[in-house]
Amino acid sequence: MKPPQQQRGNVEGVLLSRKLFSSLLIALIVSLGLVCLYYGTSFAPGLRRRDRHPADGSDPVFRSFIAATSDEDEDLPSLSRDAPGLVIKSFPVCGMRFSELIPCLDRNLINQLKLKVNLSLMEHYERHCPPPSRRYNCLIPPPVGYRKAVIRWPASRDAVWKVNVPHTHLAGEKSDQRWMVVNGDKINFPGGGTHFHFGAARYIVHIAQMLKFPNDNLSNGGNIRTVLDVGCGVASFGAYLLSHNIIAMSLAPNDVHENQIQFALERGIPSMLGVLGTKRLPYPSRSFELAHCSRCRIDWLQRDGILLLELDRLLRPGGYFVYSSPEAYATDEKNRRIWRAMGDLVQRMCWRIASKKNQTVIWVKPLTNGCYSRRDPGTIPPLCSSDDDPDAAWNVPMEACITPYSKKVNRAKGSELVLWPRRLTTPPPRLEELSISPENFIEDNEIWHWRVMQYWKQMKTQIEKDSFRNVMDMRANLGGFAASLANKDVWVMNVVPVTESGKLKIIYDRGLIGTLHDWCESFSTYPRTYDLLHAWLVFSEIEKQGCSLEDLLIEMDRMLRPFGFVIIRDKVPVINYVRTFLTALKWDLWLSEVEPKVDALSSGEERVLIVRKKLWKEDDEIL
């Protein structure tokens, strides 16, 4: 038998070992808990944990980390306690040099990834999206001194705060053309352009007079409604078309004319970033009644006229191309040679001159296939093959061929669209291509009219008459949401997901504008360019594709102006999940959630969540 002291020592040793084991076990459990806490969002719907590109462009860590707390946090609205999982408290904030980041149009990314792009074909201005490992998991800060009281439409057509778009280079470069003028703390827009120094208003009347339209109105009694303005500058042409009841898609690349589209959107003018390069523009065939180029510096003769043929694809039967450029009037040999070559090209495309005066020429596209069939065999450009889909427009290479009309359009000698504004609510002929009946179209319109009324009732304590100007419908369906806003002083970018691409032509046939897009990628716009984002089942759809809901939330925040609104209508689990990010996104200035009335478009049990974004600055202080 062991002595008492030795027994006591053994017992104490066993107790010490047990205490040590218990301590190690507790430490292990705590460590695992912290790991789960940090990586917990990986197991939430739609999230994929991955290595990210650092917020400041350097390795290895972000400027700040995501912090989390339990769903019992007292600062959160009570409804969030119904949501399972964690509540994300903060996202990293990008450095100020990312204040104007456009992820898929970031030329720094092209250099970093060493992508081989053809500069002469403008490939460096086309979309090149970062791979998942290089996406910025951080919020884009506003510029220093950002004015929360933005100048509202219609005053914004003529002036914006300089601090909100702090770029004055164009004011000096284009001072003789009256694009823009710095005036104290504002930037003014006199309405000038490269070929309309005396103002877009007079220039538009001049075009209408050239075409002998009644009352000098370019809409021609409602026949012309949708216009494509390529190389649009700060979009003054599109701004002054609005008074003619014409809406233009003003398009320009993110090129040396820094921030021209950002200025356009800050002014409240429909516009987006894009370029005539190697891929089709993201619009279906026969979308526009008129295309316009005022000294847009595009080489229309390159590659057998492929860029002009892209405009031909987009123009409706009998559509116009208005071209103001030195080639139309200059007498030097270089410009004469270009003019003769363009004349030869458009003649082979069966365009004819509708009018030519001073610096402007207007061509018109044929109404039928008759001219195409009368061309000599082997004429260049050829007709597109019968298996070509002229409406396929997302990441589709351009082809140097003429898109002929279908037998139905050829017989009709036109698009058979009624005049604007009846066009907005009249079932368009191309519904038949989607197997949608006129009755279903009318029902869709009625449903969205009701839904929009309910949205506005839900927001009535927060909004004023001029709260919104730039609106985006992220899943536009047939355009019913936008049509229901026709009596408000707003414009809507109708975004149709590529999985539903056929619906975009219906939107254009209604006299609205929009674009195709894949919400697994970033949109082609500057930060802080939209006042209202509407997302109907967008999150549910991209989750089916295996894309990250977190990425989409961060992208929506990038596009949304401070004090802007987000309307999310989706399934209950998605709404609950989104609510866990509201504090981190700083979307908790105001919120409202309701259970909507079930209608024919409802997808099971849905909720409507409306939130409002705060204004904050880089050091994360809420203003």
Side-chain angles (χ1 to χ4, degrees):
M1 189 171 179
K2 295 181 181 179
Q5 282 187 336
Q6 188 175 354
Q7 287 181 352
R8 198 162 48 246
N10 289 340
V11 170
E12 289 175 354
V14 170
L15 290 174
L16 184 62
S17 298
R18 286 179 178 175
K19 287 182 178 179
L20 181 61
F21 176 79
S22 298
S23 299
L24 290 172
L25 184 60
I26 290 170
L28 179 61
I29 291 172
V30 170
S31 299
L32 286 172
L34 290 172
V35 169
C36 290
L37 185 66
Y38 181 73
Y39 288 94
T41 54
S42 299
F43 307 101
L47 278 180
R48 305 289 185 270
R49 181 67 192 175
R50 56 177 177 268
D51 294 330
R52 297 272 194 157
H53 200 52
D56 62 356
S58 61
D59 202 36
V61 294
F62 283 121
R63 180 175 172 274
S64 59
F65 292 98
I66 295 176
T69 185
S70 74
D71 59 1
E72 294 298 320
D73 190 287
E74 62 183 8
D75 293 332
L76 291 169
S78 60
L79 282 173
S80 70
R81 292 176 183 142
D82 297 332
L86 303 172
V87 172
I88 308 303
K89 291 290 290 186
S90 65
F91 278 115
V93 174
C94 299
M96 280 304 300
R97 68 191 185 95
F98 296 101
S99 178
E100 293 171 353
L101 176 69
I102 311 165
C104 292
L105 295 171
D106 181 7
R107 287 195 292 282
N108 290 325
L109 178 71
I110 294 176
N111 296 330
Q112 291 165 8
L113 298 182
K114 298 180 180 179
L115 301 179
K116 295 180 179 179
V117 293
N118 191 324
L119 302 185
S120 66
L121 301 184
M122 301 296 177
E123 282 187 300
H124 54 307
Y125 294 136
E126 294 183 323
R127 289 173 57 84
H128 301 280
C129 296
S133 61
R134 298 189 70 86
R135 292 178 183 170
Y136 294 91
N137 188 19
C138 53
L139 304 183
I140 304 295
V144 176
Y146 184 89
R147 296 285 289 265
K148 58 184 180 180
V150 298
I151 299 173
R152 294 295 181 181
W153 184 267
S156 63
R157 187 196 71 176
D158 302 324
V160 302
W161 296 120
K162 182 173 65 176
V163 71
N164 287 8
V165 188
H167 299 280
T168 58
H169 171 71
L170 277 178
E173 181 182 341
K174 301 290 185 179
S175 59
D176 60 325
Q177 300 168 14
R178 295 173 56 79
W179 278 32
M180 50 189 275
V181 177
V182 177
N183 183 15
D185 59 358
K186 294 179 182 178
I187 295 177
N188 294 115
F189 299 89
T194 306
H195 265 73
F196 43 92
H197 302 177
F198 296 106
R202 288 174 59 179
Y203 175 64
I204 291 167
V205 168
H206 174 64
I207 295 170
Q209 291 171 341
M210 288 178 66
L211 293 169
K212 298 180 170 57
F213 287 166
N215 303 316
D216 296 340
N217 191 305
L218 192 57
S219 71
N220 189 24
N223 279 291
I224 292 180
R225 168 61 182 172
T226 53
V227 167
L228 177 66
D229 186 16
V230 294
C232 67
V234 293
S236 289
F237 181 70
Y240 285 85
L241 283 176
L242 293 168
S243 62
H244 291 247
N245 284 321
I246 295 173
I247 188 166
M249 177 66 82
S250 296
L251 189 76
N254 182 23
D255 62 8
V256 293
H257 292 155
E258 60 178 21
N259 305 83
Q260 51 192 339
I261 292 297
Q262 189 177 17
F263 280 119
L265 288 164
E266 187 73 11
R267 296 172 69 187
I269 303 168
S271 51
M272 69 178 289
L273 288 158
V275 67
L276 283 164
T278 66
K279 297 177 182 176
R280 286 178 172 176
L281 295 178
Y283 320 121
S285 68
R286 296 184 278 132
S287 292
F288 302 97
E289 279 88 27
L290 186 147
H292 173 256
C293 159
S294 172
R295 193 70 179 272
C296 54
R297 297 183 180 278
I298 293 173
D299 179 5
W300 298 107
L301 298 174
Q302 63 172 286
R303 294 175 283 161
D304 296 322
I306 193 169
L307 304 184
L308 207 58
L309 289 162
E310 172 64 358
L311 290 191
D312 183 82
R313 180 184 73 88
L314 295 173
L315 282 173
R316 299 195 195 275
Y320 299 98
F321 178 42
V322 179
Y323 186 55
S324 295
S325 188
E327 297 86 43
Y329 63 88
T331 57
D332 61 281
E333 181 53 34
K334 178 182 178 182
N335 281 305
R336 289 294 86 200
R337 185 168 62 250
I338 295 172
W339 173 251
R340 288 192 294 270
M342 281 196 71
D344 179 57
L345 172 62
V346 297
Q347 184 178 24
R348 286 182 275 119
M349 290 170 57
C350 291
W351 288 11
R352 62 177 178 81
I353 293 179
S355 183
K356 184 175 183 292
K357 188 174 182 181
N358 300 332
Q359 61 184 15
T360 301
V361 59
I362 304 175
W363 285 289
V364 61
K365 180 180 175 179
L367 286 167
T368 69
N369 292 329
C371 174
Y372 305 145
S373 62
R374 293 192 295 270
R375 299 188 313 161
D376 294 335
T379 298
I380 301 295
L383 296 182
C384 298
S385 64
S386 58
D387 60 354
D388 175 69
D389 180 2
D391 295 331
W394 183 254
N395 286 331
V396 176
M398 291 182 191
E399 291 190 43
C401 59
I402 298 171
T403 303
Y405 301 125
S406 67
K407 291 181 180 178
K408 180 180 179 181
V409 174
N410 187 58
R411 285 195 303 268
K413 298 182 179 181
S415 298
E416 299 183 283
L417 298 175
V418 300
L419 303 178
W420 178 266
R422 288 193 297 120
R423 187 182 300 185
L424 183 65
T425 53
T426 302
R430 287 201 276 188
L431 280 174
E432 184 181 345
E433 298 177 19
L434 303 180
S435 299
I436 298 174
S437 69
E439 293 76 20
N440 287 341
F441 173 84
I442 292 169
E443 182 185 27
D444 180 271
N445 219 38
E446 291 172 349
I447 289 172
W448 280 109
H449 182 72
W450 169 261
R451 285 185 173 189
V452 168
M453 281 199 310
Q454 299 310 306
Y455 291 161
W456 255 248
K457 287 181 181 178
Q458 201 172 337
M459 295 186 291
K460 66 181 180 181
T461 63
Q462 295 293 309
I463 60 175
E464 300 175 3
K465 182 180 179 181
D466 60 354
S467 291
F468 307 125
R469 174 59 186 171
N470 301 352
V471 177
M472 177 185 286
D473 189 0
M474 298 174 63
R475 183 173 177 245
N477 198 39
L478 302 177
F481 174 82
S484 300
L485 296 175
N487 63 341
K488 302 185 184 298
D489 213 355
V490 304
W491 69 273
V492 181
M493 178 67 77
N494 292 281
V495 181
V496 173
V498 293
T499 54
E500 305 172 358
S501 59
K503 295 178 178 178
L504 186 56
K505 58 191 169 191
I506 305 303
I507 288 168
Y508 273 97
D509 286 354
R510 300 185 70 170
L512 304 169
I513 61 170
T515 183
L516 296 176
H517 187 62
D518 179 356
W519 283 117
C520 294
E521 300 176 359
S522 177
F523 192 76
S524 295
T525 193
Y526 282 89
R528 302 171 301 280
T529 46
Y530 285 89
D531 303 299
L532 172 64
L533 304 176
H534 174 245
W536 171 52
L537 295 176
V538 175
F539 289 89
S540 289
E541 291 301 314
I542 72 158
E543 188 178 9
K544 291 177 185 176
Q545 300 172 48
C547 299
S548 167
L549 305 193
E550 176 196 359
D551 282 351
L552 180 56
L553 286 167
I554 291 173
E555 171 62 7
M556 291 169 70
D557 181 77
R558 186 186 71 87
M559 297 188 294
L560 188 64
R561 282 175 173 166
F563 298 106
F565 289 79
V566 178
I567 302 174
I568 301 174
R569 186 185 185 112
D570 216 310
K571 298 174 183 177
V572 174
V574 170
I575 295 296
N576 288 339
Y577 177 64
V578 168
R579 289 188 67 118
T580 66
F581 288 91
L582 297 183
T583 299
L585 291 165
K586 306 175 190 2
W587 287 5
D588 51 356
L589 181 62
W590 173 86
L591 68 82
S592 172
E593 181 180 333
V594 299
E595 181 179 353
K597 173 185 173 182
V598 175
D599 55 43
L601 295 178
S602 297
S603 176
E605 188 181 3
E606 295 179 357
R607 292 285 189 277
V608 175
L609 175 66
I610 305 181
V611 297
R612 193 174 190 185
K613 178 179 175 178
K614 293 175 178 175
L615 173 62
W616 52 275
K617 55 187 180 182
E618 188 189 10
D619 62 7
D620 207 21
E621 177 186 344
I622 302 300
L623 303 182

